Coordinates of all heavy atoms in Angstrom, one line a residue:
G1 N -1.9 -5.3 15.0 CA -3.2 -4.8 14.7 C -3.2 -3.4 14.0 O -4.2 -2.8 13.7
K2 N -2.0 -2.8 13.9 CA -1.9 -1.4 13.4 C -1.2 -1.4 12.0 O -1.4 -0.5 11.2 CB -1.1 -0.6 14.3 CG -1.8 -0.3 15.6 CD -0.9 0.5 16.6 CE -1.6 0.7 17.9 NZ -0.7 1.4 18.9
T3 N -0.4 -2.4 11.7 CA 0.3 -2.5 10.4 C -0.6 -3.3 9.4 O -0.9 -4.4 9.7 CB 1.7 -3.1 10.5 OG1 2.4 -2.4 11.6 CG2 2.4 -3.0 9.2
V4 N -1.0 -2.6 8.3 CA -1.8 -3.2 7.3 C -1.2 -3.1 6.0 O -0.7 -2.1 5.5 CB -3.2 -2.5 7.3 CG1 -4.1 -3.2 6.2 CG2 -3.9 -2.6 8.7
T5 N -1.1 -4.3 5.3 CA -0.6 -4.3 3.9 C -1.7 -4.9 3.0 O -2.1 -6.0 3.3 CB 0.7 -5.1 3.8 OG1 1.7 -4.6 4.7 CG2 1.3 -5.1 2.4
I6 N -2.0 -4.2 2.0 CA -3.0 -4.7 1.0 C -2.3 -4.7 -0.3 O -1.8 -3.8 -0.8 CB -4.2 -3.7 0.9 CG1 -4.9 -3.5 2.3 CG2 -5.2 -4.3 -0.1 CD1 -5.9 -2.3 2.3
T7 N -2.3 -6.0 -0.9 CA -1.7 -6.2 -2.2 C -2.9 -6.4 -3.1 O -3.7 -7.4 -3.0 CB -0.8 -7.5 -2.2 OG1 0.2 -7.3 -1.2 CG2 -0.2 -7.7 -3.5
F8 N -3.1 -5.5 -4.1 CA -4.2 -5.6 -5.0 C -4.0 -6.5 -6.2 O -2.8 -6.8 -6.5 CB -4.5 -4.1 -5.5 CG -5.0 -3.2 -4.4 CD1 -4.1 -2.4 -3.7 CD2 -6.3 -3.2 -4.0 CE1 -4.5 -1.5 -2.7 CE2 -6.7 -2.3 -2.9 CZ -5.8 -1.5 -2.3
F9 N -5.0 -6.9 -6.8 CA -4.9 -7.8 -7.9 C -4.1 -7.3 -9.1 O -3.5 -8.0 -9.8 CB -6.3 -8.2 -8.4 CG -7.1 -7.0 -8.9 CD1 -7.1 -6.7 -10.3 CD2 -7.9 -6.2 -8.1 CE1 -7.8 -5.6 -10.8 CE2 -8.6 -5.1 -8.6 CZ -8.5 -4.8 -9.9
N10 N -4.0 -5.9 -9.2 CA -3.2 -5.3 -10.3 C -1.8 -5.1 -9.9 O -1.0 -4.5 -10.7 CB -3.9 -4.0 -10.7 CG -3.8 -3.0 -9.6 OD1 -3.4 -3.2 -8.5 ND2 -4.3 -1.8 -9.9
G11 N -1.4 -5.5 -8.8 CA 0.1 -5.4 -8.4 C 0.3 -4.2 -7.5 O 1.4 -4.1 -6.9
D12 N -0.6 -3.3 -7.3 CA -0.5 -2.1 -6.4 C -0.4 -2.7 -5.0 O -1.0 -3.7 -4.7 CB -1.7 -1.2 -6.5 CG -1.7 -0.4 -7.8 OD1 -0.8 -0.6 -8.7 OD2 -2.6 0.5 -8.0
V13 N 0.3 -1.9 -4.1 CA 0.5 -2.3 -2.7 C 0.2 -1.1 -1.9 O 0.8 0.0 -2.1 CB 1.9 -2.9 -2.4 CG1 2.0 -3.3 -1.0 CG2 2.2 -4.1 -3.3
K14 N -0.6 -1.2 -0.9 CA -0.9 -0.1 0.1 C -0.5 -0.6 1.4 O -1.0 -1.7 1.9 CB -2.4 0.2 0.0 CG -2.7 1.3 1.0 CD -4.3 1.7 0.9 CE -4.7 2.8 1.8 NZ -6.1 3.1 1.7
Q15 N 0.3 0.2 2.1 CA 0.7 -0.2 3.5 C 0.3 1.0 4.4 O 0.5 2.1 4.1 CB 2.3 -0.3 3.6 CG 2.8 -1.5 2.8 CD 4.3 -1.5 3.0 OE1 5.0 -0.7 2.3 NE2 4.8 -2.4 3.8
I16 N -0.3 0.6 5.5 CA -0.6 1.6 6.5 C 0.2 1.2 7.7 O 0.2 0.1 8.3 CB -2.1 1.5 6.9 CG1 -2.9 1.8 5.6 CG2 -2.5 2.5 8.0 CD1 -4.4 1.4 5.7
M17 N 1.1 2.2 8.2 CA 2.0 1.9 9.3 C 1.3 2.2 10.6 O 0.4 3.0 10.7 CB 3.3 2.7 9.1 CG 3.9 2.6 7.7 SD 4.2 0.8 7.2 CE 5.6 0.5 8.0
P18 N 1.9 1.8 11.7 CA 1.4 2.1 13.0 C 1.2 3.6 13.3 O 0.3 4.0 14.0 CB 2.4 1.5 14.0 CG 3.0 0.4 13.2 CD 3.1 0.9 11.8
D19 N 2.1 4.5 12.7 CA 2.0 5.9 12.9 C 1.0 6.6 12.0 O 0.9 7.8 11.8 CB 3.3 6.5 12.9 CG 4.0 6.5 11.5 OD1 3.3 5.9 10.5 OD2 5.1 7.1 11.3
Q20 N 0.2 5.8 11.2 CA -0.7 6.2 10.2 C -0.2 6.7 8.9 O -0.8 7.3 8.1 CB -1.7 7.2 10.8 CG -2.6 6.7 11.9 CD -3.4 5.4 11.5 OE1 -4.1 5.4 10.5 NE2 -3.1 4.3 12.2
T21 N 1.1 6.5 8.8 CA 1.8 6.8 7.4 C 1.2 5.8 6.4 O 1.1 4.6 6.7 CB 3.3 6.6 7.6 OG1 3.8 7.6 8.4 CG2 4.0 6.8 6.2
V22 N 0.8 6.3 5.3 CA 0.3 5.4 4.2 C 1.3 5.4 3.0 O 1.6 6.5 2.5 CB -1.1 5.9 3.8 CG1 -1.6 5.0 2.6 CG2 -2.1 5.9 4.9
I23 N 1.7 4.2 2.6 CA 2.6 4.1 1.5 C 1.9 3.3 0.4 O 1.4 2.2 0.7 CB 3.9 3.3 1.9 CG1 4.6 4.0 3.1 CG2 4.8 3.2 0.7 CD1 5.6 3.2 3.8
Y24 N 1.7 4.0 -0.7 CA 1.0 3.3 -1.8 C 1.9 3.2 -3.0 O 2.5 4.2 -3.4 CB -0.2 4.2 -2.2 CG -1.2 3.3 -3.1 CD1 -2.4 2.9 -2.5 CD2 -1.0 3.0 -4.4 CE1 -3.3 2.1 -3.2 CE2 -1.8 2.3 -5.1 CZ -3.0 1.8 -4.6 OH -3.9 1.1 -5.3
Y25 N 2.1 2.0 -3.5 CA 3.0 1.7 -4.6 C 2.1 1.4 -5.8 O 1.3 0.5 -5.8 CB 3.9 0.5 -4.4 CG 4.7 0.2 -5.6 CD1 5.8 1.0 -6.0 CD2 4.5 -1.0 -6.3 CE1 6.5 0.6 -7.1 CE2 5.2 -1.3 -7.4 CZ 6.3 -0.5 -7.8 OH 7.0 -0.9 -8.9
Y26 N 2.2 2.2 -6.9 CA 1.5 2.0 -8.1 C 2.4 1.1 -9.0 O 3.4 1.6 -9.5 CB 1.2 3.3 -8.8 CG 0.3 4.2 -8.0 CD1 0.8 5.2 -7.1 CD2 -1.1 4.1 -8.2 CE1 0.0 6.0 -6.4 CE2 -2.0 5.0 -7.4 CZ -1.4 5.9 -6.5 OH -2.3 6.7 -5.8
A27 N 2.0 -0.1 -9.2 CA 2.8 -1.1 -9.9 C 3.0 -0.7 -11.4 O 4.2 -0.7 -11.9 CB 2.2 -2.5 -9.9
D28 N 1.9 -0.3 -12.1 CA 2.1 0.1 -13.5 C 3.0 1.2 -13.7 O 3.9 1.2 -14.6 CB 0.7 0.4 -14.2 CG -0.1 -0.9 -14.5 OD1 0.5 -2.0 -14.4 OD2 -1.3 -0.7 -14.8
A29 N 2.9 2.3 -12.9 CA 3.7 3.5 -13.0 C 5.0 3.4 -12.3 O 5.9 4.3 -12.4 CB 2.9 4.7 -12.5
K30 N 5.2 2.3 -11.5 CA 6.4 2.1 -10.7 C 6.7 3.4 -9.8 O 7.8 3.9 -9.8 CB 7.6 1.8 -11.6 CG 7.5 0.5 -12.3 CD 8.8 0.2 -13.1 CE 8.7 -1.2 -13.7 NZ 7.8 -1.3 -14.8

């Protein structure tokens, strides 16, 4: 219930980890 991964239509990926770390990958810019 704490780990969230959102894969956007443009290829970007946002991950929210249990410790509230947010990792956002911009696909176009790599």
Side-chain angles (χ1 to χ4, degrees):
K2 295 177 180 177
T3 305
V4 178
T5 303
I6 303 167
T7 305
F8 295 94
F9 63 91
N10 65 356
D12 288 5
V13 178
K14 179 179 182 179
Q15 292 179 285
I16 303 168
M17 309 308 279
D19 66 357
Q20 296 305 301
T21 296
V22 177
I23 304 165
Y24 197 105
Y25 175 74
Y26 297 91
D28 281 350
K30 296 180 177 70

